[in-house]
Amino acid sequence: MSPAPARQLDDRALAVLATGGPALVLSSDAGGEPHATYSWAVAIDARSMRIAVDRGGRSSANLRRRGRGAIVVVGNGGLNLLVSGRVRQLPGLLQPEGSAPLEVWALAVDRVRDQAWPGVATSTLAYRWPAAQRAAMRRMERAVLAGLRVAEG
C-alpha cells in the first residue's frame, strides 16, 4: 500500500520543481472525461505552483469550469509526482516568441502523491525540438518558465 499523500511539496520536490520544467497538466471536462496536455510548471513555494495552458483551449475551459487541476511530474530530479489542488487563472498572458498566447494558472497544492515504483527509474519528460527550431524553442521555453516564476497572483 502506498503512503498517504502529502499536503504540500517536500523540500526535495520544492528544490527540483522551483527550477521549472515540462509537466502534464490534467483536468476533466464537463462530463468528467479526463484530459491531459503537455505544458510547463514551476513551484513557487511548498503550497503553490504555476502552470501554463493555451489561451482558450480545452485545458483552460476545464480548469475554469472545475476549479481543480493537477500536474504529473515525470522523472524531473528523479521524482514522479501527482500534484493536485484548486486552480485559478491569473491576470495577463504569457506571449513568448514562438508560442501561442498562454494563460497562467495558480495551483494551490493540497495533495502530493509519490507515483514512483521502488527500484524503477523513469525518463525525464523533456521536449525534443527539430534541429532547425531547437534554439528558438529553447528560448521560448526559458521565457515561459521565467514568466511563470514572476506571475503575480
Side-chain angles (χ1 to χ4, degrees):
M1 185 164 157
S2 61
R7 295 174 119 350
Q8 65 183 33
L9 299 170
D10 64 22
D11 291 342
R12 178 175 170 230
L14 179 57
V16 169
L17 299 179
T19 63
L24 286 173
V25 176
L26 307 179
S27 61
S28 60
D29 68 18
E33 287 296 315
H35 177 71
T37 191
Y38 292 98
S39 193
W40 296 270
V42 172
I44 303 303
D45 58 45
R47 299 291 309 257
S48 180
M49 296 192 71
R50 300 286 186 268
I51 57 179
V53 300
D54 289 343
R55 177 181 65 185
R58 284 179 51 195
S59 292
S60 173
N62 293 343
L63 295 172
R64 185 173 290 104
R65 183 183 313 99
R66 296 287 197 186
R68 288 194 61 80
I71 66 158
V72 179
V73 176
V74 182
N76 303 38
L79 298 172
N80 292 285
L81 303 173
L82 175 62
V83 182
S84 60
R86 299 219 41 88
V87 294
R88 65 185 173 81
Q89 186 177 355
L90 300 182
L93 293 170
L94 297 179
Q95 296 188 9
E97 186 176 337
S99 172
L102 298 168
E103 298 172 352
V104 177
W105 289 77
L107 184 140
V109 176
D110 62 21
R111 188 178 181 111
V112 180
R113 184 170 295 277
D114 185 349
Q115 301 286 99
W117 292 357
V120 177
T122 56
S123 298
T124 300
L125 176 62
Y127 303 128
R128 292 184 178 90
W129 307 105
Q133 299 172 335
R134 190 169 297 134
M137 296 308 286
R138 286 183 177 158
R139 281 192 302 275
M140 183 270 302
E141 281 188 290
R142 286 191 298 273
V144 169
L145 293 172
L148 290 173
R149 284 188 200 95
V150 300
E152 296 292 327

